[in-house]
Amino acid sequence: MDVKSRNHLLLNHEALVRDIKTSYIMDHMIADEVLTLQEEEKVKAQTTQKERAAMLIKIILAKDNYSYISFYNALLHEGYKDLAALLQDGIPIISSCNGNKSMDGVTSYVRTVLCEGGVPQRPVVFVTRPKLVKAIQQKLYNLRNEPGWVTVYGMAGCGKSVLTAEALRDHHLLEDCFPGGVHWISVGKQDKAGLLMKLQNLCSRLDQDFSLSQRPPLNIEEAKDRLRLLILRKYPRCLMVLDDIWDSWVLKAFDNQCQVLITSRDRSVTDSVTGNKYEVPVESGLAHDKGLEILSLFVNMKITDLPEEADSIVGECKGSPLVVSLIGALLRDFPNRWEYYLRQLQNKQFKRIRKSSSYDYEALDEAMSMSVEMLNENFKDYYKDLSVLQKDVKVPTKVLCILWDMETEEVEDILQEFVNKSLLFCDRNGKSFHYYLHDLQLDFLTEKNRNQLQELHKKIVNQYKKHYKLHIPTPAQEDCMYWYNFLAYHMASANMQNELCALMFSLDWIKAKTELVGPAHLIHEYVEYSHILDQKDSRVRENFQEFLSLNGHLLGRQPFPNIIQLGLCQPEISEVYQQAKLQAQQELVKGAFYLEWLNKKSMKNLSRLVVRPHTDAVYHACFSKDGQRIASCGADKTLQVFKAKSGEKLLEIKAHDDEVLCCAFSADDRLVATCSVDKKVKIWNSRTGQLVQVYEEHGEQVNCCQFNNTNDQLLLATCSNDTYIKLWDLNKKYCRNTMFGHLNSVSHCRFSPDDKYVASCSSDGTLKLWEVCSANELKTIDIKDFFRNADEHQDDVEVLVKCCSWSANCATIMVAAKNRLLLLDVITSDLLAEVLISHHSTIQYCDFCPGNQLVAVALSHYSVELWNTESFLKVADCRGHLSWIHCVTFSPGGSLFLTSSDDQTIRIWESSKVCKSSALVLKRELDVVFQDDGLMVLAILNQQHLQEISNIYLLLGKFVTTIWTFIGKGLFSNILFCLWTFEHLCIRGSECITIFLMEKKVAN
């Protein structure tokens, strides 16, 4: 490298290392062949962004002038114009002896060859796709010493021609493989007259001195012969590029034992010609960041400065370079139309998205329509049937066999025709084939066939009914998962109300589906299709939805409980109970037995939804700020995000290398933070699951992470066993402040609602308040002082301050320690109130309800209590968890709250419902008397009253004999265990029944 160039790199080393992101820079340099894959891995192995940038600069310094020029061009392409300006004066002068390499990394030799051959120039806006370019080049190297065909195929607008042209901008490839030059012919859809004209022009271009003939060829055969002679005598070892081939017969005119590259939508187009054949599929579209890069180049803005609609526009373009480029060109002319073009994309108005360009079609619908029109007439209706498929769903062959009532081989032949023409994609997983459409193809089909969609959905439902009759698909069948996931969707789309109700209100269907895919998707369908299911009466749908919401976590685990027995626990007016009772009576003749509770009128399920997203203890869960999603984390080291209404899983991320202790949504809901025993704090995109940032500055496990409450400045507070609280500025991506002062591990931290303060709690027995703007300590409140009067040895008082919560007006802060809640005045530090929650359990977590005076308290004896902070009275006692509750959190509006527990479940509760409940909550101390006609339980209800309950159960069949057999066989303690859990019957009667059934199996 020239000394001048080297000095410019060294002089600007600090600025380059501070600002550049190496990943995209390296893509450009690899495409220019100045950086190897091994060197790329060496850079990626560095820990931080600055270290990666420094390693890249170090590698470039050891290279030649071309590396400097490639690096300079990469900076320009990636929007680092200010950094490129720093290096501009150091650009070396390349002499002719080293190829006259130009500023775009292309030598004068390559430019001359491609210009003479008619190869298209790079688009005005161009982004690299190095992996696909390399794949094309690797196939072309196979043609170095022998004739053959390379086919670059893919759907309309995927970038085949641009990628092919870019692959040819390689000095070594042209010099080693095609010294005879490159000849590009844009073919397109042609008849024989049109093809002859193309051949005549090509022959004229190759024979400019008329050494073979003074006149053009008169027919295709003559043109083929002349082309063969021209290549043999004048252009040996040249490459013919045939762009946009539609028909295989066209290729016969070029079947002259020469080297040919073709681009096509039809993978099978070379079946009719001879010679070696190689394929390069262009299936995957642009990555999201590449789409944003194209838009930024069109509108001449940095990616970070693009409006918020840019992300959505790129998402709606589904990775199509054509669509992104069309939108970018339009926005360059009309820079205020971001929202308008986004709306057109969302509404599938492809006809309104058109722009003159070098592409053969001005609008996407024209390009796709042409592909479909080229299908055989017999196949067009089959392709139309695919309009009913869902996006991102791979459909097994068996589903389409049922739809078309054909044998597997016949269906595969039809589908292969679609695959060959890039109208469908195939995933060969072992012996089974699964097929799927690109999102844009599906959008095009649904828009084109909009008026026929209902009939098309009805067709697939009727074919399913014809095939399966009254049976349900079994797990052994290839197509069963498709029907469980999408049969209700097809029925709803066909508006088949009777069929949908029969399906969704069937205990057999519920049992089969939840055993395979869990309950969340079925709950989602009850919500999604409620407008159809409720046409006659909403009560039935509500019965089934509530049944599944409260029992789905049982159905979704092994061993699977008896769904009829669970149904018998529902209220007698419930449609679920009626159906279960009918099935139970039918099963009695087969020797089955079931238990039905008589006191169901006093049993109330206070939970709204119970989900089991984790395989181990759930340490924390929280609502998104819009209340639509819940994030949770726990001992299984994962972060889960699911819908608050149905429990349907949206994200599952293996987040950390050890237990994840806390998670939190950002104020705009775009991000989720997690912290772990592995000492790391991580930031994730809440929609995609992409890792955004990792912080590793804590020295011990990180116990809590909390975002601030406003979008103005995105801050994150974390606290750890290392005794520190840290404030992170996510916009600047570094630790802004470290706050120290605690003498022991810090267990909890929380921003005040106005974001002025951060409160922290520690096992040193103190609560500290910190100013956010300065990170200075505002005050320390010694919580141990409030416990000393009650202890004999005042110096030995140990108080672990578990957590804290702010009131909505920021005037009061609540602190939980041992078994007490303390309400403190933020300004004076005075104790406003003290609530002794329980003598027998400790407080695990607490939370203020936004907008009212309720406080939720999670206790170690598996319950949650709601207290009114004005009257200091307990207003609700919520039970249902089977183990310790780690967290309780209100939704943003306070209408809901959730609890997470060691029992692997998260329960969502309605605040108003639990406060109004009159359900009995019995204490653990009880006695039982067995009588001839039933059973009587005596239990402590509260400090003043005993509760007597008799006639607990009604037996169907001969279950009385069985129960006494249990007792006779020494299982009396097990039966008592079932009755001991009766305290939970008001909200969890079904689980008691499940235990009875399990004991029956033990007895047998």
Side-chain angles (χ1 to χ4, degrees), residues 629-691:
R629 293 177 292 159
I630 291 172
S632 62
C633 58
D636 62 4
K637 308 174 188 177
T638 67
L639 167 69
Q640 308 279 348
V641 180
F642 54 92
K643 292 182 180 179
K645 188 172 286 188
S646 65
E648 187 176 9
K649 186 179 294 185
L650 300 173
L651 278 180
E652 179 176 5
I653 303 170
K654 176 64 171 64
H656 288 268
D657 299 324
D658 211 325
E659 296 181 338
V660 189
L661 301 180
C662 188
C663 58
F665 278 101
S666 61
D668 58 5
D669 285 338
R670 290 189 304 108
L671 305 174
V672 175
T674 57
C675 59
S676 167
V677 176
D678 67 8
K679 310 175 189 177
K680 297 177 183 177
V681 179
K682 296 186 179 183
I683 311 297
W684 310 87
N685 184 305
S686 69
R687 300 289 181 184
T688 66
Q690 181 180 2
L691 181 61

Side-chain angles (χ1 to χ4, degrees), residues 205-243:
R205 198 166 82 195
L206 298 178
D207 190 24
Q208 293 183 7
D209 58 0
F210 302 106
S211 58
L212 285 182
S213 177
Q214 295 293 321
R215 64 169 179 79
L218 300 179
N219 55 56
I220 291 177
E221 283 302 318
E222 183 182 349
K224 179 179 179 181
D225 288 340
R226 189 176 300 181
L227 187 60
R228 177 174 54 80
L229 291 173
L230 284 167
I231 292 174
L232 182 64
R233 296 178 185 179
K234 287 190 162 189
Y235 302 94
R237 295 183 66 197
C238 74
L239 176 68
M240 306 290 295
V241 181
L242 308 179
D243 186 34

Side-chain angles (χ1 to χ4, degrees), residues 451-465:
N451 296 330
Q452 304 174 59
L453 286 179
Q454 186 166 318
E455 288 303 314
L456 292 173
H457 281 286
K458 188 174 292 185
K459 176 181 177 180
I460 195 170
V461 173
N462 289 334
Q463 289 297 106
Y464 167 86
K465 291 167 61 181

Side-chain angles (χ1 to χ4, degrees), residues 531-794:
H531 63 286
I532 300 175
L533 297 170
D534 294 352
Q535 284 181 10
K536 294 181 180 178
D537 183 4
S538 64
R539 182 182 56 83
V540 179
R541 191 263 309 163
E542 290 168 355
N543 289 162
F544 276 90
Q545 184 176 331
E546 181 180 13
F547 168 69
L548 198 58
S549 296
L550 300 176
N551 297 284
H553 67 293
L554 300 174
L555 292 168
R557 62 184 297 192
Q558 292 182 338
F560 299 117
N562 188 302
I563 195 169
I564 299 175
Q565 186 64 77
L566 289 177
L568 288 171
C569 296
Q570 300 306 298
E572 294 182 4
I573 60 172
S574 167
E575 189 67 27
V576 179
Y577 168 82
Q578 299 292 342
Q579 194 175 135
K581 181 73 174 284
L582 182 62
Q583 291 191 25
Q585 291 170 340
Q586 293 170 351
E587 292 292 320
L588 285 179
V589 297
K590 302 176 184 178
F593 68 91
Y594 296 95
L595 180 67
E596 182 184 1
W597 298 97
L598 277 181
N599 64 326
K600 283 186 292 190
K601 291 182 179 180
S602 64
M603 292 164 50
K604 291 186 179 180
N605 281 301
L606 301 183
S607 304
R608 171 176 170 172
L609 177 67
V610 185
V611 293
R612 189 185 298 270
H614 293 270
T615 58
D616 209 330
V618 189
Y619 290 145
H620 194 83
C622 59
F623 287 95
S624 60
K625 297 302 183 286
D626 62 6
Q628 300 301 307
R629 293 177 292 159
I630 291 172
S632 62
C633 58
D636 62 4
K637 308 174 188 177
T638 67
L639 167 69
Q640 308 279 348
V641 180
F642 54 92
K643 292 182 180 179
K645 188 172 286 188
S646 65
E648 187 176 9
K649 186 179 294 185
L650 300 173
L651 278 180
E652 179 176 5
I653 303 170
K654 176 64 171 64
H656 288 268
D657 299 324
D658 211 325
E659 296 181 338
V660 189
L661 301 180
C662 188
C663 58
F665 278 101
S666 61
D668 58 5
D669 285 338
R670 290 189 304 108
L671 305 174
V672 175
T674 57
C675 59
S676 167
V677 176
D678 67 8
K679 310 175 189 177
K680 297 177 183 177
V681 179
K682 296 186 179 183
I683 311 297
W684 310 87
N685 184 305
S686 69
R687 300 289 181 184
T688 66
Q690 181 180 2
L691 181 61
V692 176
Q693 190 63 263
V694 181
Y695 300 122
E696 301 182 59
E697 295 187 24
H698 279 293
E700 297 291 341
Q701 74 174 36
V702 188
N703 296 314
C704 181
C705 55
Q706 290 288 326
F707 280 103
N708 63 335
N709 301 297
T710 58
N711 294 322
D712 298 338
Q713 186 181 18
L714 204 55
L715 298 178
L716 179 75
T718 59
C719 60
S720 165
N721 280 4
D722 63 9
T723 73
Y724 299 137
I725 303 100
K726 289 182 179 286
L727 273 182
W728 310 86
D729 187 331
L730 270 69
N731 293 325
K732 298 182 180 178
K733 299 183 178 178
Y734 59 83
C735 178
R736 199 189 81 170
N737 302 101
T738 298
M739 298 177 284
F740 50 89
H742 283 293
L743 303 178
N744 212 326
S745 59
V746 187
S747 54
H748 193 248
C749 60
R750 186 170 282 191
F751 281 94
S752 61
D754 59 7
D755 287 336
K756 290 183 178 180
Y757 308 109
V758 170
S760 60
C761 306
S762 171
S763 55
D764 64 9
T766 65
L767 168 76
K768 289 180 181 289
L769 301 185
W770 313 82
E771 293 179 338
V772 172
C773 59
S774 65
N776 292 329
E777 181 180 329
L778 178 68
K779 64 176 63 182
T780 297
I781 303 175
D782 194 343
I783 304 301
K784 289 185 293 186
D785 290 343
F786 302 113
F787 287 82
R788 284 198 172 99
N789 293 335
D791 291 89
E792 295 181 3
H793 306 287
Q794 295 187 10

Side-chain angles (χ1 to χ4, degrees), residues 192-288:
K192 290 188 177 181
L195 178 61
L196 177 59
M197 187 177 295
K198 293 278 184 183
L199 288 167
Q200 288 172 341
N201 291 336
L202 178 61
C203 290
S204 174
R205 198 166 82 195
L206 298 178
D207 190 24
Q208 293 183 7
D209 58 0
F210 302 106
S211 58
L212 285 182
S213 177
Q214 295 293 321
R215 64 169 179 79
L218 300 179
N219 55 56
I220 291 177
E221 283 302 318
E222 183 182 349
K224 179 179 179 181
D225 288 340
R226 189 176 300 181
L227 187 60
R228 177 174 54 80
L229 291 173
L230 284 167
I231 292 174
L232 182 64
R233 296 178 185 179
K234 287 190 162 189
Y235 302 94
R237 295 183 66 197
C238 74
L239 176 68
M240 306 290 295
V241 181
L242 308 179
D243 186 34
D244 197 21
I245 296 295
W246 286 82
D247 302 294
S248 59
W249 64 267
V250 170
L251 296 184
K252 292 181 180 179
F254 300 90
D255 193 3
N256 285 323
Q257 292 293 301
C258 58
Q259 290 97 332
V260 183
L261 182 149
I262 67 171
T263 68
S264 179
R265 306 179 193 187
D266 190 345
R267 178 186 179 186
S268 63
V269 75
T270 57
D271 288 351
S272 61
V273 296
T274 58
N276 297 320
K277 299 167 188 175
Y278 309 95
E279 294 180 347
V280 181
V282 186
E283 289 186 21
S284 57
L286 292 171
H288 190 81

Side-chain angles (χ1 to χ4, degrees), residues 158-175:
C158 67
K160 302 180 291 293
S161 301
V162 173
L163 289 167
T164 298
E166 189 62 23
L168 297 174
R169 292 185 181 93
D170 185 278
H171 189 105
H172 298 298
L173 175 70
L174 298 184
E175 196 170 55

Side-chain angles (χ1 to χ4, degrees), residues 283-410:
E283 289 186 21
S284 57
L286 292 171
H288 190 81
D289 53 352
K290 293 290 184 182
L292 288 174
E293 183 182 352
I294 290 178
L295 285 183
S296 69
L297 292 172
F298 265 112
V299 299
N300 195 27
M301 297 171 65
K302 290 183 178 180
I303 292 178
T304 53
D305 294 336
L306 291 173
E308 60 182 16
E309 290 89 354
D311 272 310
S312 300
I313 284 176
V314 173
E316 291 293 335
C317 290
K318 318 298 184 188
S320 169
L322 167 63
V323 185
V324 178
S325 298
L326 285 172
I327 296 293
L330 288 164
L331 286 168
R332 181 174 55 194
D333 295 340
F334 304 100
N336 297 321
R337 291 189 179 181
W338 290 88
E339 186 177 347
Y340 171 77
Y341 290 124
L342 173 59
R343 190 165 63 249
Q344 301 310 316
L345 282 170
Q346 291 171 335
N347 295 333
K348 319 305 176 194
Q349 296 296 324
F350 300 125
K351 287 186 174 65
R352 298 185 186 178
I353 302 171
R354 51 177 65 244
K355 174 75 177 177
S356 296
S357 66
S358 58
Y359 192 63
D360 290 343
Y361 308 98
E362 292 185 3
L364 179 65
D365 63 311
E366 294 177 20
M368 291 195 171
S369 182
M370 182 62 72
S371 297
V372 177
E373 290 304 315
M374 290 303 298
L375 286 173
N376 185 298
E377 287 297 327
N378 297 331
F379 288 170
K380 287 182 181 178
D381 283 340
Y382 293 130
Y383 195 65
K384 184 201 298 182
D385 287 339
L386 303 183
S387 305
V388 301
L389 302 184
Q390 282 272 49
K391 290 182 179 179
D392 302 319
V393 174
K394 296 181 179 180
V395 182
T397 310
K398 179 67 180 297
V399 172
L400 299 169
C401 290
I402 293 172
L403 174 59
W404 294 331
D405 201 10
M406 290 182 180
E407 296 294 328
T408 301
E409 293 74 14
E410 295 177 275

